[in-house]
Amino acid sequence: SLYVLVSCSRRCGSTSFGGVARSAFGGGAELLTTAAVLIVVVFSVVGLMKLNQGIWSPILMMTLGILIGGEDPPTGETTALQDAIVLMVLLVLMTPFLLKRDLTSLRHLCYVGFFSIAILCLAMAYRAVELNSGTDVFATNVKWTSTSLPEALSALPIIMCAYLCSFNIISVSCSLVRPTRERVRGVIHWAVLLSFLVMYLFGVAGYLYAYDETSGNILLNFSPDDPIILLGRVSCGIMTLFALPMNTLPAREALLSVAAQVSEARASTNQSASLAERRILLRKAGNNSSVESAREDKIGYGTKDAAENSVVSISRKEEYIHCLATFGIAFLCYVAAVLAPGVAIVWDISGSSMVFLIQFIIPGACYIKLKLRSRPDELSRNLVLAWCLLIFALIMALLCTSLTALRLYGIIE
């Protein structure tokens, strides 16, 4: 699906995900795509907040218990109120980063994130080997295959969220020194392969430690005072903490983009209707020669003077909108993170519908549309594969969304 999207970008000349959708299906598709990206990124922010809450709350509460002292040693167990307070404190500390328009200062965070996950993965693997060595725990608890179709489908949304990068692949391909087909394909293959290896080792190590008791946040299965896991917990916590502004920025940009696109669509509709009415009136009055001047007056009246006289007010207005959008997203995601029963349900809701739409459905549909537009009579192998991808994604999105809804309402477990 990533290479399909790059191919669409090459065909239409657009350098953005929404631009590809606009070239294929028009402005409405661009609005739908931007709205879908907004929803997915907002869910990502909620999930990151929930992860940070689960990582930092036991550490901070245990540290506070050690500093205060007492008869009983601190265990790191927390209440819902304490979790909410810790998350609020973390957001206050991250406010300067959340308000930034450009996060170039965090451009090296990917290396920190990789080494953080590697450290945590090694610590988990050590604990898993320690648990299973010399005992029959592995033979008793291991499950090699899924026992039911709903159980297997329930894992797909989280996997989809782990590999979600469609809305970035076009900009990545455009930033290559020589963006040839072979180089783009190589970048995609290596990136997906390395991500698969890290995620697979991480998942296996966590499962072999907790088995059927595995939590949505695997760190909750380990004791907060485990010295080996503590290093990985802290490093992973730093990574997820700084991932908040890196996801808040695209969420804010998508929100403002959706608002701008809706405003543009309304203005275009109202302007077209107004111009049509004025044309009719002018023609009836016999003033056909003034239609163009009327149109110019309607569209461009006072544009230069207005721009010159309102630079300060526009700048202040943009700053207010920037801050309001940032705090609005942060507050909404904070409330959702506090109320969410666990991080797994956040990934389930996001991955079962919107991620399938962004990762497979929109790229496949755009490729089919652009391919048929340029060569309507050609039935190529890539076109058949695009149709298969689209049909498969639609079926899986329907099944996963239905399964998530049934689980939310308690109909199935």
Side-chain angles (χ1 to χ4, degrees), residues 337-387:
V338 171
L339 297 178
V343 69
I345 193 63
V346 178
W347 305 134
D348 284 344
I349 297 174
S350 175
S352 61
S353 55
M354 291 293 104
V355 172
F356 274 104
L357 180 65
I358 293 175
Q359 191 81 338
F360 299 110
I361 297 175
I362 292 178
C366 289
Y367 181 85
I368 293 170
K369 181 69 174 181
L370 295 173
K371 182 76 172 179
L372 293 178
R373 182 183 297 172
S374 60
R375 299 176 182 178
D377 299 328
E378 181 181 348
L379 184 62
S380 63
R381 180 176 65 92
N382 291 336
L383 186 61
V384 174
L385 292 176
W387 273 111

Side-chain angles (χ1 to χ4, degrees), residues 148-295:
S148 65
L149 180 60
E151 188 179 58
L153 290 176
S154 64
L156 281 181
I158 297 180
I159 297 175
M160 293 295 101
C161 290
Y163 290 95
L164 179 63
C165 55
S166 295
F167 44 82
N168 291 327
I169 188 60
I170 296 178
S171 60
V172 170
S173 65
C174 293
S175 64
L176 295 178
V177 177
R178 289 182 294 107
T180 61
R181 297 179 186 273
E182 290 74 17
R183 285 175 60 83
V184 172
R185 188 179 290 110
V187 169
I188 293 174
H189 288 172
W190 278 106
V192 173
L193 176 61
L194 292 176
S195 299
F196 168 77
L197 292 177
V198 173
M199 295 295 179
Y200 188 80
L201 292 175
F202 194 89
V204 169
Y207 174 72
L208 291 180
Y209 179 81
Y211 292 103
D212 289 339
E213 302 299 325
T214 303
S215 173
N217 180 1
I218 187 60
L219 293 177
L220 298 179
N221 289 106
F222 294 92
S223 175
D225 58 352
D226 189 325
I228 296 179
I229 300 297
L230 183 60
L231 177 61
R233 188 190 295 268
V234 172
S235 59
C236 185
I238 294 174
M239 186 269 293
T240 56
L241 192 61
F242 281 97
L244 277 175
M246 297 185 69
N247 282 267
T248 303
L249 187 145
R252 181 179 61 241
E253 295 299 323
L255 175 62
L256 297 178
S257 180
V258 167
Q261 291 174 27
V262 171
S263 177
E264 180 184 354
R266 289 181 177 178
S268 178
T269 302
N270 295 335
Q271 181 177 313
S272 300
S274 178
L275 289 175
E277 293 175 359
R278 298 188 75 178
R279 247 186 229 107
I280 294 174
L281 293 175
L282 289 172
R283 285 174 182 173
K284 288 182 179 180
N287 297 328
N288 295 331
S289 60
S290 62
V291 172
E292 289 301 319
S293 61
R295 182 177 183 275

Side-chain angles (χ1 to χ4, degrees), residues 22 24 63 74 86 109 112 152 208 218 225 237 273 293 310 334 391 396 400:
R22 186 185 187 92
T63 304
V86 168
L109 187 64
V112 178
L208 291 180
I218 187 60
D225 58 352
S293 61
S310 62
Y334 171 79
I391 295 172
M396 297 308 297
C400 291

Side-chain angles (χ1 to χ4, degrees), residues 1 27 81 92 141 154 231 377:
S1 65
L81 179 60
V92 171
N141 295 281
S154 64
L231 177 61
D377 299 328

Side-chain angles (χ1 to χ4, degrees), residues 150 154-155 345 348 402-413:
S154 64
I345 193 63
D348 284 344
S402 301
L403 179 63
T404 300
L406 293 175
R407 292 175 62 186
L408 284 175
Y409 286 103
I411 299 177
I412 62 174
E413 297 183 357

